[in-house]
Amino acid sequence: MKVISAAFFAASMVVAAPALAESWDMPTPYGDSTFHTVNIQQFAKDVEEATNGELTITVHSAGSLFPHPEIKNAVRSRQVPIGEFFLSRLSNEDLAYGLDSQPFLATNYEDAANLWAAQKPVISELMAAEGLMPLFSVPWPAQGLYTNGEIKTVDDLAGLRFRAYNASLEEFATAAKAAPVQIEASDIPQAFATGQVQAMITSPSTGANSKAWDFLSHYSPIDAWLPKNIVVVNKRVFDKLSPEAQSAVMDAAAAAETRGWDMSRAEAAEKTKVMADNGVAIVPPSAELTAGLQAIGATMLENWKANASDSAMAILDAYQK
């Protein structure tokens, strides 16, 4: 009887034993004060709490684990299970990834949400082919124009060294007869200080976080586009989680997407005020500048259509219905 009891006890302990805890490292490209990173830190906390510690996610911000351009492939190759990156960086792989950075296609949060609804199934399918699964996506505030001195027409941009962060912005700068220069967000202050760049289009968040008042005088809210960051997970790693942990991750991701969009809306007004309080002149774009920029956007969209894949065109068609 003692042998039977011991065997029964051992078996019961195996059944009752909790799943082994797992820890994920998560690289992100932006600093701890950036609202995207703040949102992701909360996502990680939500996952840990919901799984009772079965899954913990350690966030490595500001490109400290992998530089921004390497994050997507690090997740794909399972060097890390999960990561965040700027979605339109992948537009050289398929133009479907870059529609949110097409100038003046979606210029407010309602339009941006409709565009993401059209993008998400296509993006999910494209990423699935590489073993990746999107978890959530959050937009930056609408992009504005930063310069030294007021820009009244597109012609005033000619010859300026212009910061670019993706292929669309390179094309945009070239169309404005400016000279595009690839610069990561973390390198903006140094790039301006050394004369690498003289102007940029970016969000109020990046402008305030970079302390644009130290190197620029004017900000014009042209509301050009609302580009998104995306968080993806390696599907094979995700599939190894318990069903309960998988549900916890998906629930936390849904909450992070809702929270992140709300944070972005609040960020737009807050960071614009920060810049104004620090002496940056907030100047509405002139009618001439707006017309010139929109003309560039229209030309770029026609160029985009001429080169878009069927998947990319399906997004545009769904969005424009």
Side-chain angles (χ1 to χ4, degrees), residues 151-201:
I151 299 295
K152 296 183 179 179
T153 71
V154 168
D155 290 341
D156 293 338
L157 298 172
L160 295 180
R161 291 184 291 278
F162 209 96
R163 182 230 173 186
Y165 52 66
N166 61 18
S168 293
L169 195 42
E170 286 188 7
E171 182 182 356
F172 187 90
T174 301
K177 299 180 181 179
V181 183
Q182 282 280 350
I183 299 291
E184 288 291 336
S186 57
D187 298 326
I188 287 173
Q190 182 178 2
F192 275 93
T194 59
Q196 273 186 286
V197 289
Q198 300 166 297
M200 64 181 177
I201 290 178

Side-chain angles (χ1 to χ4, degrees), residues 19-241:
L20 291 176
E22 185 166 355
S23 179
W24 287 0
D25 288 310
M26 181 177 183
T28 73
Y30 305 100
D32 289 335
S33 62
T34 303
F35 80 94
H36 285 283
T37 309
V38 173
N39 187 39
I40 286 170
Q41 292 281 13
Q42 184 61 52
F43 162 74
K45 182 179 179 182
D46 290 347
V47 168
E48 183 172 2
E49 290 180 352
T51 62
N52 293 315
E54 178 185 337
L55 176 60
T56 59
I57 300 174
T58 301
V59 179
H60 301 268
S61 60
S64 58
L65 187 59
F66 286 96
H68 195 173
E70 297 178 14
I71 292 176
K72 180 249 187 178
N73 285 334
V75 180
R76 183 181 59 81
S77 61
R78 285 181 288 157
Q79 296 177 73
V80 289
I82 187 172
E84 178 207 30
F85 51 85
F86 193 66
L87 182 61
S88 60
R89 289 189 69 93
L90 307 186
S91 59
N92 61 331
E93 299 178 17
D94 193 296
L95 291 179
Y97 291 114
L99 256 179
D100 60 11
S101 290
Q102 281 297 307
F104 304 104
L105 179 64
T107 59
N108 57 58
Y109 284 99
E110 181 180 359
D111 288 348
N114 291 335
L115 179 56
W116 176 229
Q119 265 186 307
K120 187 173 182 178
V122 175
I123 297 301
S124 297
E125 184 176 348
L126 289 171
M127 287 190 167
E130 297 191 76
L132 301 172
M133 184 175 74
L135 290 180
F136 62 93
S137 184
V138 173
W140 292 89
Q143 306 289 279
L145 177 65
Y146 295 76
T147 55
N148 273 307
E150 184 178 356
I151 299 295
K152 296 183 179 179
T153 71
V154 168
D155 290 341
D156 293 338
L157 298 172
L160 295 180
R161 291 184 291 278
F162 209 96
R163 182 230 173 186
Y165 52 66
N166 61 18
S168 293
L169 195 42
E170 286 188 7
E171 182 182 356
F172 187 90
T174 301
K177 299 180 181 179
V181 183
Q182 282 280 350
I183 299 291
E184 288 291 336
S186 57
D187 298 326
I188 287 173
Q190 182 178 2
F192 275 93
T194 59
Q196 273 186 286
V197 289
Q198 300 166 297
M200 64 181 177
I201 290 178
T202 195
S203 70
S205 303
T206 301
N209 292 342
S210 300
K211 297 184 178 179
W213 48 88
D214 288 339
F215 48 83
L216 289 169
S217 62
H218 284 65
Y219 171 72
S220 183
I222 59 175
D223 294 346
W225 56 87
L226 285 79
K228 295 185 292 292
N229 286 2
I230 193 166
V231 171
V232 302
V233 65
N234 186 285
K235 187 65 164 57
R236 289 179 64 181
V237 176
F238 178 83
D239 287 345
K240 290 179 181 178
L241 295 174

Side-chain angles (χ1 to χ4, degrees), residues 260-279:
W261 282 70
D262 289 342
M263 292 173 74
S264 182
R265 290 184 183 93
E267 184 89 354
E270 291 171 6
K271 296 299 182 164
T272 299
K273 184 177 185 301
V274 167
M275 290 192 293
D277 290 346
N278 281 277

